[in-house]
Amino acid sequence: MAALCVSCGAAASYRLFLGGRVSFARGQGLWKAAAAKLQRSPGCQILRLRHTTVVTTRKNVTALRRETYTVDFIKKQIEEFNIGKRHLANMMGEDPETFTQEDIDRAIAYLFPSGLFEKRARPVMKHPEEIFPKQRAIQWGEDGRPFHFLFYTGKQSYYSLMHGAYGKLLDVENRQDQLRAKGLFSEKTKAKDPIGSRWLIKEELEEMLVEKLSDQDYAQFIRLLERLSALPCDEAEEEFVGRFRRSVTIQSKKQLIEPVQYDEKGMAFSTGRGNRKTAKAEVAVYDHGSGKIEVNGVDYLLYFPVTQDREQLMFPFHFLDRLGQHDVTCTVSGGGRAAQAGAIRLATARALCSFVTEDEVEWMRQAGLLTADPRVRERKKPGQEGARRKFTWKKR
């Protein structure tokens, strides 16, 4: 009886599963036919699909995403900027063809005065290329595969640049080895003068590559460029290195250099003035001297007993490697001995500019020899014990 109940339950479940297509039968042949019919039915195919693993090729989401600023959008913004510039020039009574960005800024400040402290919150009118940041082009094809072989490094532009720079370095070294093997290479190569230019800073390099760089990546790239620039390069390598240098205004050209004068005996000399705190000094430096230095008619060794003051006075000659080549006559007044030594040092450095080259003047400026020291003693404040010190507070 129990076996019969089990058979009836199985048959009933199969009847429900087939949806009335398979009739109840006790014979084995009917069961096989029903099973074969079940496999050919659409319902079984649906059940099979439920258990199969669906594998689809997913394209890069970023590649399919629409760019923030399209080329047409930038062109439209540039056209509107040019129209606005013409209208602004007409309002100011200027020629639109010669209306520069400085004129635009001046007109905006005049027409839309703002008292906001933050300059970025004030109204501006800039070229769209300065307002909208640069964007990288799509780096993938329609199939989702990247174009560049260094794409999966995360910094394809940076590593591609490093690869090219290192390749140029190897080419230069190989040429040197070939010339050295033939006996045509000269070790005496003229070093390149870095004065007047500088390397790109990290932010400028990131803007050029449109990639974020770490401090270590930036330092590694600059070291590689320095190695390349230190070698005798061809025009191609020099042009490559020049892409990553920017010219700067040489501040030494703004330095007022006294002309060389001549005394009754025909000796060339130059004068200079300097100050430090309340001390003021006037110096006359004579060319082709013996290293004699007088301060207010007294030898400087007697006038400055402290060694540190003597070193301050002699530092310009030591920096230019001109010890014992000039005679110096100083007149100084005011301040203490340390302040007087600083004033004489500044006056001497300014006077020596008449006897050196422009490059040496720039080196002196970078070393701080031509810059006056603005530090002075801070005054005492009322209600205080000193310039910064407060009176001791007592509760009772």
Side-chain angles (χ1 to χ4, degrees):
M1 186 67 182
L4 181 61
C5 294
V6 172
S7 302
C8 293
S13 21
Y14 260 98
R15 190 191 316 176
L16 294 173
F17 186 73
L18 294 175
R21 297 183 181 182
V22 181
S23 60
F24 177 75
R26 293 181 180 180
Q28 187 178 5
L30 295 176
W31 280 105
K32 291 181 179 179
K37 187 177 181 180
L38 177 64
Q39 292 179 0
R40 293 192 301 268
S41 63
C44 184
Q45 299 296 331
I46 296 175
L47 292 176
R48 287 179 184 175
L49 290 175
R50 289 179 182 176
H51 293 281
T52 55
T53 303
V54 180
V55 179
T56 57
T57 303
R58 187 177 182 183
K59 295 183 179 180
N60 201 307
V61 179
T62 311
L64 301 177
R65 188 168 56 194
R66 183 177 177 271
E67 292 184 67
T68 308
Y69 306 117
T70 61
V71 178
D72 296 336
F73 174 79
I74 297 296
K75 288 182 178 179
K76 183 177 180 181
Q77 294 296 322
I78 293 176
E79 292 177 358
E80 294 179 355
F81 172 79
N82 293 330
I83 294 174
K85 185 177 72 171
R86 296 186 69 88
H87 287 315
L88 190 62
N90 293 331
M91 292 171 62
M92 300 300 294
E94 301 286 343
D95 185 8
E97 302 298 333
T98 59
F99 207 61
T100 61
Q101 184 62 44
E102 296 180 358
D103 299 332
I104 293 175
D105 297 339
R106 186 169 57 253
I108 292 294
Y110 175 76
L111 296 174
F112 304 98
S114 174
L116 296 175
F117 180 77
E118 181 62 41
K119 292 184 178 180
R120 291 178 296 179
R122 300 175 184 175
V124 293
M125 181 178 174
K126 301 288 185 182
H127 197 275
E129 294 181 355
E130 300 181 18
I131 297 177
F132 299 102
K134 292 183 179 179
Q135 298 182 114
R136 300 190 61 179
I138 294 179
Q139 305 295 323
W140 306 271
E142 295 181 356
D143 57 350
R145 297 175 180 269
F147 297 140
H148 205 281
F149 71 99
L150 293 173
F151 170 77
Y152 290 107
T153 60
K155 301 175 183 177
Q156 60 180 19
S157 299
Y158 170 75
Y159 286 111
S160 177
L161 189 61
M162 290 287 290
H163 184 271
Y166 190 70
K168 293 182 181 298
L169 179 64
L170 293 180
D171 293 341
V172 174
E173 291 179 349
N174 291 336
R175 285 201 302 268
Q176 287 186 0
D177 294 339
Q178 293 176 2
L179 293 176
R180 191 177 288 108
K182 297 178 182 180
L184 302 177
F185 180 73
S186 177
E187 296 291 344
K188 297 180 180 180
T189 57
K190 184 178 180 181
K192 299 179 180 62
D193 189 6
I195 293 178
S197 62
R198 61 168 177 82
W199 294 112
L200 289 178
I201 61 176
K202 178 185 171 183
E203 289 74 13
E204 293 174 340
L205 185 60
E206 288 178 344
E207 184 179 356
M208 176 185 293
L209 301 179
V210 199
E211 288 179 351
K212 290 294 182 180
L213 303 178
S214 63
D215 295 338
Q216 184 179 2
D217 294 338
Y218 172 74
Q220 187 176 3
F221 178 66
I222 294 300
R223 283 197 299 267
L224 184 59
L225 288 180
E226 288 176 349
R227 287 180 56 189
L228 182 59
S229 61
L231 299 175
C233 305
D234 293 341
E235 294 183 1
E237 285 80 7
E238 291 181 357
E239 183 180 357
F240 176 79
V241 174
R243 288 169 48 194
F244 306 99
R245 295 193 68 88
R246 293 293 181 268
S247 59
V248 295
T249 304
I250 300 178
Q251 298 295 329
S252 60
K253 293 183 178 179
K254 301 179 181 179
Q255 180 71 28
L256 180 61
I257 299 177
E258 294 288 340
V260 178
Q261 305 176 24
Y262 296 91
D263 58 2
E264 297 82 1
K265 298 180 181 180
M267 294 183 61
F269 72 96
S270 180
T271 59
R273 294 182 179 182
N275 59 293
R276 173 75 173 94
K277 294 184 178 178
T278 58
K280 297 181 180 180
E282 294 184 1
V283 172
V285 178
Y286 292 86
D287 197 10
H288 304 293
S290 59
K292 182 180 178 181
I293 301 177
E294 292 184 355
V295 180
N296 292 340
V298 183
D299 187 77
Y300 80 102
L301 296 176
L302 300 177
Y303 193 86
F304 294 108
V306 181
T307 306
Q308 184 178 359
D309 298 338
R310 299 176 184 177
E311 292 176 351
Q312 286 286 323
L313 189 146
M314 298 298 296
F315 182 68
F317 300 101
H318 181 72
F319 182 80
L320 295 173
D321 195 16
R322 286 176 171 264
L323 291 173
Q325 300 182 18
H326 299 276
D327 291 339
V328 182
T329 302
C330 309
T331 302
V332 63
S333 62
R337 287 292 186 263
Q340 290 182 354
I344 294 175
R345 165 185 154 168
L346 177 61
T348 303
R350 289 175 175 175
L352 283 174
C353 293
S354 303
F355 302 104
V356 297
T357 62
E358 292 185 359
D359 293 343
E360 291 175 324
V361 173
E362 178 63 18
W363 296 339
M364 292 172 65
R365 186 197 66 81
Q366 294 179 0
L369 289 173
L370 302 178
T371 305
D373 191 349
R375 297 176 300 174
V376 295
R377 185 176 185 274
E378 190 173 350
R379 57 153 291 181
K380 178 186 177 302
K381 310 301 188 304
Q384 297 180 188
E385 189 173 351
R388 301 290 179 89
R389 183 178 177 84
K390 310 295 189 299
F391 290 114
T392 304
W393 181 81
K394 295 182 180 181
K395 187 175 182 179
R396 293 179 179 86

